[in-house]
Amino acid sequence: MISTMSCGRCTATKMLREICSVRSFSTSAWRLHRFKSQKINLAKGFGSKWRLANGKALDGKKYGPLTDLPDYTFLDGRPTPLTRKQQQRLAEKKQVAARVDELLGELNFAKERYREQMKNKQTEKPFPLKPKS
């Protein structure tokens, strides 16, 4: 019979340890339970707070020398071909840049239109007829 013990964080800690001690089940469930109880976001990865505080990518795979630079160089100075992932990242960056340029154009158009409307409102003549009394 499996008994449970209260540890403050979870009442099923001992039960999880006994289940995870079975060789075929592995200890991954216990590790996952432990990380959930410590409220660590596994999607961000370990060290993500440090990376963000130091101005680096969230998970270490988004940008940087290991992802942006080629794996090798030719001794005669020829450029190295881009990998498929590098080409995909370059295409994504171009799409984002095009979208940003489009949105900035719309924003500048809206600002200019607003200025013209305010200018027209100030130069507009008052109504020439007097209201009936």
Side-chain angles (χ1 to χ4, degrees), residues 41-102:
N41 190 352
L42 294 176
K44 289 183 180 178
F46 295 103
S48 60
K49 288 181 184 177
W50 179 86
R51 284 192 210 98
L52 287 176
N54 290 305
K56 301 190 182 306
L58 183 67
D59 64 352
K61 296 179 184 177
K62 296 290 182 192
Y63 56 86
L66 293 177
T67 57
D68 296 336
L69 296 178
D71 294 335
Y72 60 93
T73 56
F74 292 111
L75 293 176
D76 59 356
R78 288 181 289 162
T80 55
L82 296 175
T83 63
R84 192 176 336 137
K85 283 285 193 181
Q86 287 173 335
Q87 291 172 351
Q88 288 173 354
R89 274 189 236 105
L90 186 63
E92 287 175 8
K93 288 178 183 179
K94 284 182 180 179
Q95 287 176 349
V96 169
R99 180 73 175 144
V100 167
D101 190 38
E102 177 186 344

Side-chain angles (χ1 to χ4, degrees), residues 12-13 16-17 20 25-35:
T13 303
L16 272 173
R17 283 186 185 163
C20 293
F25 190 70
S26 180
T27 59
S28 61
W30 168 247
R31 287 186 184 128
L32 184 62
H33 166 73
R34 187 179 68 184
F35 294 135

